[in-house]
Amino acid sequence: MLDILRRIVQEVSAATDLSDALKVVVARIREAMATEVCSVYLYDPDSKRYVLMATEGLKQEAVGRVSLSSSQGLVGLVGSRAEPINVDNAPAHPKFHFLSETGEDPFLSFLGVPIIHHKRLMGVMVVQQRDSRQFDASEEAFLVTMSAQLAGVIAHAEATGNILEIPDTTEKKKSTRFTGAPGAPGVGLGQAFVITPAADLGAVIDKEAESIPEEIERFEKALEGARQEIRVLGKKLSSELRPEEMALFDVYLNMLDDQALGAEVRARIEEGNWAQGALRQVVMQYVGHFQMMEDVYLRERATDIIDLGTRILAHLQGWDEPPEEYDFPDNTILVSEELTPAMLGEVPPGKLRGLVSVRGSSNSHVAILARAMGIPTVMGVVDVPYAQLQGLEIIVDGYRGQIYSSPTDELRQQYQSIYDEEQALQKDLEGLRDQPAETTDGHRIPLWVNTGLITDAVRSLERGAEGVGLYRTEVPFMMKDRFPSESEQQQIYRQQLETFAPNPVTMRTLDIGGDKALTYFPINEANPFLGWRGIRVSLDHPEIFLVQIRAMMKASEGLNNLRIMLPMVTSVNEVDEALHLIYRAHAELVEDGRQIEMPQVGVMIEVPAAVYQIRELGSRVDFLSVGSNDLTQYLLAVDRNNPRVADLYQAFHPAVLNALRMIAESATAIGRPVSVCGELAGNPMGAVLLMAMGYDMLSMNATNLPKVKSVLRGVSREWAKHLLDDVMQIESAPVIAAMVQLSLEKAGFGRIIGPAARG
Ligand code: PEP
Ligand code: MG
């Protein structure tokens, strides 16, 4: 069963559009279950009807024509109950609704299962049989499994714009709303610009070729480029491989032969698709064929074909659309299946108004960057037909995590006024720039910033940051296509250190792995967040670590405002090992005659194990800083980037707050300064609680700094401590969040947390 399932899924994934996919599904399921009818009804939310979209066994003329209201028939019952209905005599069921057009009268047995994606009902899948019998448990389980797979395919088809036109729907609504997760607060109005990643076959969209001969020429060049690459690769390996292994390269070259893949792609281009779209279609079709094969060796060819396809695509994209040729509108809303930090860099500063990503969540790195840059962002908009948005007017509501395409005039005016109000608030907050973050009863808590790009460093100063609590060094690493050299790093770090001198800059050593990937240093693991990440990578590669430490220290010469921070620490051994290398690097530089002060070294507390070793870790270093983003994810066992569990990622979870309070108390007890540099510190509601817990400093994105400062200056520490005491009695995260929000609103901060709170 599993094997059949796997093959159906692969075949479905290879289908070029949803209509083909549904046809494949119904045909294969009918065959696999040896039943007489298999049909798919999709739910059209506009007309609130189930429309028959594919069938094997009922009359084909009924497809697209026959529909049922949401309460009609057994199909309606499956949908409203959101559970399978399995009956041996359907016509005898009180809910049965006879559809004469389908020719279903002779079928007695009926098994219907809902198709649900992210709690949303997308349709109903039905199998029917002439004999009167109940489908057994394994058949029911099979259909439920298939429908869960199909739900993902339908959602993806919607997202890529390959969705079927559901007939009978009333005329399209003018404005369409899509919901995701809030990525960065704010409201952005502008024009969509859809961007595809460097070489990701799955993300390539179908597009009409502007000039067929030019597309063919592009493809030929790319094909030759890929061939050349394979030849070179083969040559390089020829001394290490045996002749029979070398034969693989001939296989590759044969696949790239003009008569094979090349000819098929060319034919698709001639039908009107652009080269990239044609390539994706052909490669996916090949992959489907290969994966269907019984022969293991042949099945493995699927991997080769994806590799080749990606190589050709990289050549196509390499010279086809170099980033500098993108013509971004002045008010760009950047849209992509999966936004990457590098993509942000492609839009000229000043033109970017908002970001929309189909994948990812508010904790993705790109969202963190967006918050730093103050760009309204919505992540994980899984249902948006992103490929169809190009050029459309879009509103990004980063508070609620929603976007609107082609908004109505009223909607546009409403959002324009929120935008104007935001700008006005920002102006008011600017007046706080040179004021300290001090509570009404005289408790001062320095506010620092998190940076990664030089742009946020500059913005931070404008907003009155007193230092850098977290400089994410992986960000400049992500912007390159290879490891930056020691002198390149030195230059980048010097810029940061100089910008803030004499204020301190906390540079975190490379924190790759988890969700932070370097294209040129891929780490493929089943559980990346529990794998080779942060300090673990650095200690396994002392050559990379030492280059980084030396570059940081050299950059700090004469400024002496450097602090070094170690990410993802889980044990004291890691700290000892890292300290050993740091001291060694320092001693060598001093030996070389450089006047460099030994920087302060700190440890990030972001893994539950570290929470219970504050004393041991703290006694080895100069400071501690809590990475509340990771700490929350590891405490709650919730992937910070997975939109499916985004609502379980609760920053105000009592367990998280208890851990945070315990860290502050333990650090204070051993006299080590402790700060928070996760997103919670930049949330005015979180900042008030952290201040009350006794944190010595908070580090946040520059956008939120004035808001946090304004709130902290408006409350007393006593008041915040009372609030904290009350909050710690509560057992539920949403209740805690609501209580803090209400208290701040009552204290007069509704305007500051207003739009965020509404979200
Ligand atoms: C954190 O985990 O809270 C943190 C500040 O680091 P990052 O988000 O870069 O993992
Ligand atoms: Mg972290």
Side-chain angles (χ1 to χ4, degrees):
M1 206 55 126
L2 205 64
D3 203 37
I4 299 172
L5 243 171
R6 187 176 58 82
R7 277 201 257 151
I8 296 180
V9 170
Q10 280 159 358
E11 214 184 338
V12 164
S13 312
T16 49
D17 63 25
L18 187 59
S19 166
D20 285 347
L22 293 184
K23 276 187 202 149
V24 169
V25 166
V26 292
R28 293 291 174 269
I29 291 182
R30 189 176 82 143
E31 193 182 310
M33 293 179 71
T35 171
E36 281 144 318
V37 177
C38 178
S39 317
V40 171
Y41 297 80
L42 289 191
Y43 184 66
D44 176 16
D46 289 336
S47 62
K48 298 197 169 44
R49 294 185 77 80
Y50 293 97
V51 185
L52 177 68
M53 297 310 291
T55 186
E56 208 38 57
L58 298 183
K59 289 186 184 156
Q60 288 305 320
E61 310 89 84
V63 170
R65 296 223 177 89
V66 164
S67 70
L68 290 151
S69 81
S70 53
S71 56
Q72 244 176 356
L74 290 170
V75 167
L77 190 64
V78 172
S80 60
R81 286 203 187 158
E83 62 180 17
I85 303 279
N86 187 354
V87 290
D88 58 3
N89 188 351
H93 194 283
K95 267 295 200 180
F96 182 75
H97 180 86
F98 178 61
L99 293 168
S100 58
E101 306 93 314
T102 62
E104 69 175 344
D105 40 321
F107 303 108
L108 294 179
S109 319
F110 173 101
L111 168 62
V113 300
I115 306 171
I116 296 176
H117 184 72
H118 287 294
K119 298 186 187 155
R120 184 159 74 90
L121 180 72
M122 315 200 80
V124 171
M125 183 143 68
V126 174
V127 287
Q128 289 170 284
Q129 200 155 348
R130 231 169 270 270
D131 311 339
S132 172
R133 70 161 185 116
Q134 267 212 298
F135 287 91
D136 68 24
S138 73
E139 288 171 311
E140 194 172 311
F142 175 77
L143 204 62
V144 167
T145 314
M146 265 329 295
S147 104
Q149 298 283 354
L150 185 61
V153 172
I154 298 171
H156 184 77
E158 276 186 352
T160 50
N162 277 332
I163 189 74
L164 298 172
E165 274 288 303
I166 295 186
D168 295 333
T169 50
T170 41
E171 159 199 346
K172 273 221 175 312
K173 274 180 287 167
K174 214 176 164 274
S175 166
T176 317
R177 189 182 73 186
F178 301 97
T179 302
V187 162
L189 295 93
Q191 196 185 346
F193 190 97
V194 180
I195 188 167
T196 48
D200 176 3
L201 269 174
V204 166
I205 56 172
D206 288 329
K207 194 163 91 171
E208 206 175 310
E210 272 171 28
S211 152
I212 290 176
E214 275 177 30
E215 285 299 308
I216 290 194
E217 195 188 317
R218 277 187 190 139
F219 174 68
E220 312 264 75
K221 275 200 191 169
L223 191 62
E224 187 44 43
R227 269 197 209 115
Q228 190 54 26
E229 210 170 288
I230 299 296
R231 280 191 208 109
V232 172
L233 260 177
K235 265 212 187 91
K236 273 193 190 156
L237 292 174
S238 57
S239 58
E240 291 166 43
L241 293 182
R242 284 170 296 152
E244 49 283 26
E245 287 163 341
M246 279 305 296
L248 177 70
F249 288 89
D250 295 332
V251 176
Y252 263 54
L253 288 171
N254 288 344
M255 283 189 196
L256 288 176
D257 198 77
D258 269 348
Q259 302 317 312
L261 189 114
E264 284 188 50
V265 176
R266 229 174 283 118
R268 301 245 179 176
I269 299 175
E270 266 154 18
E271 282 166 17
N273 207 345
W274 68 325
Q276 297 189 25
L279 176 70
R280 191 209 73 238
Q281 285 188 356
V282 173
V283 169
M284 289 308 169
Q285 192 187 339
Y286 267 60
V287 168
H289 288 327
F290 280 123
Q291 284 176 338
M292 289 283 291
M293 297 189 179
E294 298 292 347
D295 184 304
V296 181
Y297 173 80
L298 286 175
R299 244 189 267 156
E300 282 305 309
R301 298 278 68 76
T303 320
D304 298 342
I305 204 87
I306 289 181
D307 181 24
L308 289 173
T310 309
R311 277 172 202 280
I312 301 171
L313 183 66
H315 281 276
L316 270 175
Q317 293 181 335
W319 67 279
D320 184 12
E321 278 192 39
E324 57 273 21
E325 279 185 18
Y326 284 139
D327 192 11
F328 292 103
D330 287 342
N331 53 355
T332 298
I333 304 285
L334 197 63
V335 180
S336 181
E337 181 165 21
E338 182 146 40
L339 280 175
T340 65
M343 286 178 188
L344 298 195
E346 284 178 5
V347 187
K351 285 195 172 186
L352 197 54
R353 295 282 179 275
L355 299 170
V356 179
S357 183
V358 176
R359 295 209 206 133
S361 77
S362 60
N363 301 298
S364 301
H365 241 223
V366 73
I368 292 173
L369 287 187
R371 286 195 283 273
M373 294 162 75
I375 307 162
T377 300
V378 179
M379 302 293 296
V381 203
V382 283
D383 296 332
V384 72
Y386 72 95
Q388 291 177 359
L389 296 186
Q390 177 67 16
L392 293 189
E393 185 185 349
I394 300 280
I395 292 175
V396 173
D397 180 342
Y399 296 118
R400 290 190 183 83
Q402 291 176 338
I403 66 166
Y404 298 86
S405 64
S406 309
T408 56
D409 289 346
E410 302 91 274
L411 201 64
R412 186 185 309 108
Q413 274 161 19
Q414 197 186 329
Y415 272 99
Q416 187 66 46
S417 71
I418 295 179
Y419 177 80
D420 295 343
E421 192 186 310
E422 278 278 305
Q423 300 295 98
L425 175 67
Q426 209 60 60
K427 275 231 158 62
D428 290 353
L429 293 177
E430 273 164 25
L432 290 178
R433 184 191 144 147
D434 299 318
Q435 308 286 329
E438 190 174 305
T439 58
T440 53
D441 49 358
H443 177 72
R444 195 156 151 25
I445 177 164
L447 302 185
W448 291 13
V449 279
N450 296 348
T451 64
L453 306 167
I454 196 69
T455 41
D456 24 280
V458 176
R459 284 179 76 243
S460 308
L461 283 178
E462 284 166 6
R463 282 153 191 261
E466 297 170 69
V468 175
L470 167 63
Y471 169 60
R472 291 184 165 96
T473 56
E474 56 281 0
V475 177
F477 275 65
M478 282 173 175
M479 302 295 172
K480 292 219 171 288
D481 53 9
R482 55 171 173 76
F483 279 110
S485 68
E486 187 171 322
S487 68
E488 281 171 335
Q489 287 187 48
Q490 184 183 336
Q491 239 175 26
I492 300 169
Y493 301 155
R494 179 80 187 178
Q495 237 183 339
Q496 286 280 333
L497 292 163
E498 262 176 353
T499 308
F500 284 92
N503 288 331
V505 174
T506 312
M507 297 201 160
R508 179 173 71 185
T509 61
L510 198 57
D511 185 19
I512 51 167
D515 63 326
K516 301 161 201 167
L518 299 177
T519 47
Y520 50 89
F521 192 71
I523 302 172
N524 291 318
E525 297 176 324
N527 282 310
F529 277 114
L530 301 182
W532 206 41
R533 236 207 108 169
I535 192 78
R536 303 172 185 180
V537 178
S538 293
L539 293 178
D540 284 347
H541 279 282
E543 78 288 6
I544 298 174
F545 187 64
L546 280 167
V547 161
Q548 185 172 37
I549 296 293
R550 268 201 305 269
M552 285 177 182
M553 288 188 188
K554 283 185 188 169
S556 75
E557 194 169 3
L559 298 172
N560 297 321
N561 58 340
L562 167 69
R563 306 188 337 151
I564 295 179
M565 184 158 78
L566 309 171
M568 272 297 289
V569 167
T570 48
S571 75
V572 292
N573 304 355
E574 289 166 337
V575 180
D576 291 340
E577 236 183 284
L579 280 173
H580 173 75
L581 292 170
I582 294 172
Y583 281 120
R584 192 180 111 192
H586 182 250
E588 284 169 5
L589 289 172
V590 171
E591 242 169 59
D592 288 349
R594 289 180 182 262
Q595 309 271 321
I596 298 168
E597 274 181 22
M598 175 66 195
Q600 288 201 346
V601 179
V603 161
M604 284 193 79
I605 307 297
E606 51 182 350
V607 176
V611 177
Y612 298 99
Q613 288 210 296
I614 298 294
R615 182 173 292 275
E616 295 79 356
L617 294 168
S619 65
R620 286 168 161 77
V621 291
D622 304 297
F623 64 93
L624 299 169
S625 186
V626 180
S628 56
N629 308 336
D630 275 314
L631 187 59
T632 306
Q633 115 162 319
Y634 290 123
L635 275 176
L636 303 182
V638 173
D639 177 347
R640 57 196 255 189
N641 294 311
N642 184 344
R644 273 196 205 146
V645 288
D647 54 345
L648 298 178
Y649 183 95
Q650 296 167 329
F652 293 97
H653 192 291
V656 175
L657 295 182
N658 267 304
L660 286 167
R661 191 161 66 167
M662 191 172 136
I663 298 166
E665 285 171 0
S666 312
T668 310
I670 57 162
R672 280 293 171 279
V674 62
S675 58
V676 177
C677 62
E679 294 299 302
L680 190 63
N683 174 337
M685 307 199 311
V688 166
L689 297 182
L690 295 170
M691 182 264 288
M693 286 178 190
Y695 279 93
D696 300 296
M697 188 266 281
L698 301 177
S699 190
M700 64 203 68
N701 63 70
T703 310
N704 283 14
L705 193 141
K707 293 186 184 177
V708 168
K709 193 192 270 188
S710 170
V711 172
L712 292 178
R713 283 175 58 82
V715 299
S716 71
R717 184 147 194 240
E718 272 318 296
W719 180 86
K721 279 185 169 174
H722 281 302
L723 177 63
L724 178 66
D725 286 343
D726 290 346
V727 156
M728 297 308 273
Q729 308 294 321
I730 301 173
E731 296 168 353
S732 140
V735 178
I736 293 177
M739 178 169 172
V740 180
Q741 184 187 318
L742 202 66
S743 304
L744 282 176
E745 276 173 5
K746 272 201 207 146
F749 297 107
R751 190 168 164 232
I752 289 184
I753 58 167
R758 286 206 298 267

